[in-house]
Amino acid sequence: MFNKIMVPIDLAHADRMTKAVDVAADLAKLYDVEVCYVGVTSAAPGSVAHTPQEYRGKLDEFAKKEGAGHGKPASAHVVVSHDPATTMDDDLVQAVKEVGADLVVMATHVPNIGDLVFASNGGNLAKHTNASVCLVREA
Amino acid sequence: MAEENTNMGIPLPEGTSDIIETDYEIGQDNIETKIGPFGLDIHNPVFLISGLSIVIFVLYALLAPTQAAEFFGWLRPTLTSTFDAFFLTAANVFVIFCLLLIVSPYGSVRLGGADATPDYGYPGWFAMLFAAGMGIGLMFFGVLEPAYYFGTPWGDEPLGAVRPFTEDGVLIPENVEAAKRMALAATSYHWALHPWAIYAVVALALALFSYNKGLPLSIRSAFYPILGERVWGWWGHVIDTVAVFATLFGLATSLGLGAQQANAGLDYIYGIPSSVTTQVVLIVLITIFALISVVRGLDGGVKVLSEANMVLALVLLVFVVFTAGAAGIFADFGNTLLAYGQEVLPLSNPVGRVDDGYREGWTAFYWAWWISWSPFVGMFIARVSRGRTVREFVTCVLIIPSLVCVFWMATFGGTAINEMIANADTSAVKANVIDAYRPELSLFAMLQGLPLASITSTVGIILVIVFFVTSSDSGSLVIDTITAGGKIDAPVPQRIFWCTFEGLVAIALLIGGGLASLQAMVISTGLPFTIVLLLMCWSIFRGLQSEKRA
């Protein structure tokens, strides 16, 4: 059914996107496919990491941990943006193409990524990519 | 400071650099909350204190206008005339410091780690350097300042230069060349190495401590070598708050005064009478464009607009060069560079001078002004300069903009002075700068002497307005970052708030009065910030010592 699942992750609020992450894991097991966790970061130091490289390391770690949990291949993909608050839409579209995902599972209602994942964000992905988009409401 | 490059599994930046070990986590003092549908992520207490203190000062200017005007009207000139030697010396220190960095081994340190690559190419980078902090000044002073020094009857000739006019306004031909030379050199002094060195120091400090040391992109981070962990407490809060305060008031008062000037230009060209309504409409328009720009973001808004603006400014510059005579302009440029080189030492000498009017009224004023804008412009330059080496950074921020500014002054100022010499009796520039002082009309008066004046004047007005937009959008991004504790990915509604707030402050002060007095207050913040900048030089030196050099 699907070849690769992409999950946009806001590492600063990963604890508030567990539902989407779990849904993605279940789907990965169901369809026996790889999950790619995508994070958008800036070159300037932020709350998660001081540098893009440090961010990449943390996202890799996150992917490894999740992969060990659901037992399917897991990878991480980092997009470095000059201004993440405004480029998230385009960054995610680009990421879908770069990682070759055909299903996106996204959390909604979390600040930062969350703000941008409101209807229009998921809608934007559906509009500009060939992937299916599954929006998961967090509590 | 860490001797090791790694700590607790934190990988290197791109290549080698020297992350500062601190327990402070960026955003740890932030409040994340929601107002209606909008998420917020703001620094406690910098956001609230700066917001409230701005409101209090606006109320003070509105409720006690006479007292505010008297106090700040006294404070600013008192500071610049009392501390003129200090300002001049400090600016010289910044220039020497920057020039030393270019030739020292520290020049090979790369901002963002040894293997970082530049975030922006040269055209976009230069466009943003100019559009943020200086473009609007070039429009306003490009004709005014050289023309003023050339013909000033008010006794503030630079270095006591000769006067080209008699008391009755009759030209003295043998004095003309010397007066023109000094006018252009003295103007270049205010727009070349010194102001850009001021911006370079702040920008370098912030870029170094953020991209190489891993500290938040905020003014306080530059003080880590001096204050240590205390920088995350009230010391840091005060530094950041004053920076926000100076930036917002600097932008808002310039916006208000700029709207009055643009209105005067519209009156001069199209006969649209000066009124508060027109000026409020102008501010609203500028704010709307700035809002669109900040919402579209750094790449999609600010950079695009800055580049478009530079193209338009270039078109105007090329037009003036060719219609006023390219050969003459290039000769003026060469002579101005030469004169600047010869006079920069006497002009920057802080002691034993007799030209009080020029030194205190103009130079010290300019230095205070540039320095009060430096947190904003410096931080914005830092934001877009990751990936350059220190040498490349300082050369590009110091030398190239200086050359562009000297060329701009030689073109606009030189053309205006030539026109005053050729038609001393009928010159529109002389009528608006020397005979009567209407500074906001100086540019349009100069353009009047060239072909297609109605078109070029319109381009001039558009440029003035767009330069305000490009200052306003980059300023809003800077304020947003500082008030979000150095986070550059704070929710978009916050930058919308600051951009709108700036427009509202400008409108309130325009209607209620107080623009000039609060601008005087902003420029007064140049004095404490001069001390801050001197300390930054020391911080930069300490910070560079532990970085890997290529």
Side-chain angles (χ1 to χ4, degrees):
Chain A
M1 182 79 77
F2 297 109
N3 295 317
K4 202 179 207 179
I5 301 174
M6 173 175 131
V7 186
I9 293 290
D10 176 2
L11 275 184
H13 301 99
D15 55 323
R16 281 187 255 163
M17 3 179 63
T18 48
K19 221 167 157 184
V21 170
D22 290 347
V23 168
D26 290 343
L27 289 171
K29 281 190 268 192
L30 178 64
Y31 297 113
D32 189 23
V33 290
E34 175 186 338
V35 184
C36 180
Y37 300 92
V38 170
V40 179
T41 187
S42 68
S47 56
V48 174
H50 299 97
T51 64
Q53 197 143 350
E54 184 186 346
Y55 187 91
R56 197 165 288 132
K58 291 198 170 173
L59 194 63
D60 271 337
E61 220 167 88
F62 179 86
K64 221 177 272 172
K65 198 177 112 234
E66 290 300 321
H70 56 64
K72 295 293 158 197
S75 57
H77 179 82
V78 175
V79 181
V80 181
S81 163
H82 295 150
D83 192 4
T86 59
T87 59
M88 192 69 71
D89 264 347
D90 298 340
D91 294 337
L92 292 181
V93 168
Q94 190 200 334
V96 167
K97 292 173 181 164
E98 279 172 6
V99 306
D102 48 4
L103 171 63
V104 180
V105 180
M106 300 171 89
T108 64
H109 289 266
V110 176
N112 293 330
I113 279 219
D115 288 351
L116 298 137
V117 183
F118 291 139
S120 65
N121 226 187
N124 184 68
L125 270 185
K127 197 165 150 190
H128 294 288
T129 68
N130 294 329
S132 306
V133 179
C134 169
L135 296 181
V136 181
R137 296 262 183 246
E138 300 289 331
Chain B
M1 212 176 294
E3 290 303 318
E4 293 291 332
N5 293 317
T6 55
N7 170 40
M8 308 269 292
I10 295 177
L12 309 175
E14 297 183 59
T16 322
S17 89
D18 181 43
I19 294 279
I20 288 178
E21 272 183 73
T22 168
D23 291 334
Y24 185 81
E25 189 183 299
I26 296 169
Q28 75 172 36
D29 294 332
N30 283 24
I31 301 173
E32 285 187 48
T33 180
K34 272 181 167 255
I35 296 181
F38 301 119
L40 287 184
D41 189 354
I42 56 176
H43 187 275
N44 178 33
V46 170
F47 186 100
L48 277 179
I49 294 182
S50 32
L52 285 177
S53 56
I54 288 162
V55 171
I56 289 169
F57 270 85
V58 170
L59 288 178
Y60 171 57
L62 293 181
L63 298 177
T66 328
Q67 197 195 4
E70 266 175 24
F71 176 66
F72 294 119
W74 163 84
L75 181 67
R76 207 272 300 155
T78 307
L79 288 183
T80 48
S81 57
T82 310
F83 296 97
D84 58 310
F86 176 63
F87 280 118
L88 265 71
T89 309
N92 294 340
V93 169
F94 303 141
V95 174
I96 293 166
F97 179 72
C98 287
L99 293 175
L100 285 178
L101 281 180
I102 295 179
V103 296
S104 80
Y106 297 123
S108 60
V109 171
R110 192 173 284 278
L111 299 172
D115 299 333
T117 48
D119 281 357
Y120 291 97
Y122 283 111
W125 190 43
F126 280 125
M128 288 192 278
L129 293 186
F130 273 101
M134 204 171 259
I136 193 66
L138 289 176
M139 297 301 294
F140 187 73
F141 287 102
V143 168
L144 172 68
E145 198 177 343
Y148 180 91
Y149 295 152
F150 177 76
T152 171
W154 294 287
D156 41 5
E157 299 93 343
L159 295 174
V162 290
R163 294 206 49 216
F165 297 110
T166 63
E167 295 287 326
D168 310 323
V170 180
L171 203 68
I172 313 168
E174 61 269 27
N175 285 357
V176 162
E177 275 313 308
K180 178 179 167 186
R181 176 182 168 280
M182 184 54 85
L184 288 173
T187 307
S188 299
Y189 168 54
H190 291 155
W191 292 84
L193 294 175
H194 288 75
W196 289 100
I198 289 167
Y199 288 164
V201 164
V202 180
L204 183 60
L206 298 175
L208 181 68
F209 284 94
S210 188
Y211 297 133
N212 293 53
K213 309 291 182 190
L215 301 184
L217 187 58
S218 202
I219 308 290
R220 67 172 81 194
S221 296
F223 291 88
Y224 193 87
I226 295 166
L227 295 171
E229 294 293 322
R230 276 171 298 179
V231 88
W232 312 124
W234 278 100
W235 283 97
H237 299 338
V238 170
I239 293 170
D240 278 355
T241 302
V242 176
V244 169
F245 191 78
T247 303
L248 192 121
F249 269 125
L251 287 166
T253 52
S254 303
L255 186 58
L257 294 168
Q260 291 176 340
Q261 287 148 10
N263 197 173
L266 287 171
D267 186 15
Y268 187 69
I269 304 162
Y270 301 115
I272 298 174
S274 281
S275 72
V276 170
T277 317
T278 315
Q279 290 154 16
V280 169
V281 168
L282 280 170
I283 294 176
V284 170
L285 272 180
I286 289 168
T287 306
I288 288 174
F289 280 113
L291 277 173
I292 295 172
S293 179
V294 294
V295 170
R296 289 187 53 82
L298 195 52
D299 292 355
V302 180
K303 176 165 161 271
V304 171
L305 207 54
S306 298
E307 284 173 345
N309 208 6
M310 290 324 284
V311 170
L312 200 60
L314 195 67
V315 168
L316 188 65
L317 182 70
V318 169
F319 176 84
V320 174
V321 166
F322 284 99
T323 51
I329 299 274
F330 283 103
D332 276 348
F333 174 54
N335 291 336
T336 305
L337 267 187
L338 194 68
Y340 174 63
Q342 289 166 336
E343 301 296 343
V344 67
L345 288 180
L347 285 170
S348 54
N349 167 26
V351 288
R353 299 210 355 215
V354 287
D355 55 352
D356 289 355
Y358 172 77
R359 198 181 69 257
E360 294 171 1
W362 288 82
T363 305
F365 165 81
Y366 263 118
W367 287 184
W369 186 32
W370 295 132
I371 289 169
S372 71
W373 277 71
S374 64
F376 148 45
V377 183
M379 183 143 153
F380 185 70
I381 295 177
R383 175 89 186 260
V384 296
S385 299
R386 183 181 164 276
R388 309 261 167 208
T389 63
V390 169
R391 184 169 297 126
E392 190 185 6
F393 173 86
V394 178
T395 308
C396 290
V397 175
L398 197 63
I399 310 290
I400 293 170
S402 292
L403 288 174
V404 173
C405 284
V406 172
F407 188 74
W408 183 278
M409 292 302 173
T411 306
F412 283 73
T415 305
I417 291 175
N418 290 343
E419 205 243 346
M420 287 164 77
I421 297 170
N423 314 302
D425 299 333
T426 56
S427 162
V429 175
K430 185 165 178 286
N432 285 301
V433 177
I434 307 301
D435 300 340
Y437 191 59
R438 288 192 287 266
E440 64 276 13
L441 299 182
S442 57
L443 172 70
F444 306 109
M446 187 277 281
L447 291 173
Q448 217 178 33
L450 301 174
L452 304 175
S454 60
I455 297 176
T456 52
S457 299
T458 308
V459 172
I461 295 239
I462 294 173
L463 265 175
V464 169
I465 292 173
V466 183
F467 270 125
F468 270 113
V469 176
T470 54
S471 289
S472 177
D473 59 11
S474 38
S476 304
L477 288 186
V478 165
I479 297 176
D480 178 37
T481 303
I482 300 177
T483 55
K487 280 189 173 185
I488 69 168
D489 58 350
V492 174
Q494 277 166 237
R495 52 177 86 168
I496 294 178
F497 166 77
W498 285 111
C499 193
T500 313
F501 193 43
E502 180 200 314
L504 289 176
V505 169
I507 291 173
L509 293 175
L510 180 75
I511 295 174
L515 281 169
S517 51
L518 286 191
Q519 192 178 46
M521 176 198 68
V522 174
I523 294 168
S524 308
T525 63
L527 183 67
F529 267 119
T530 306
I531 300 164
V532 164
L533 261 67
L534 287 167
L535 294 172
M536 271 186 183
C537 293
W538 171 247
S539 287
I540 292 172
F541 175 66
R542 287 300 309 271
L544 285 173
Q545 279 181 317
S546 59
E547 288 292 320
K548 181 175 180 285
R549 303 194 285 271

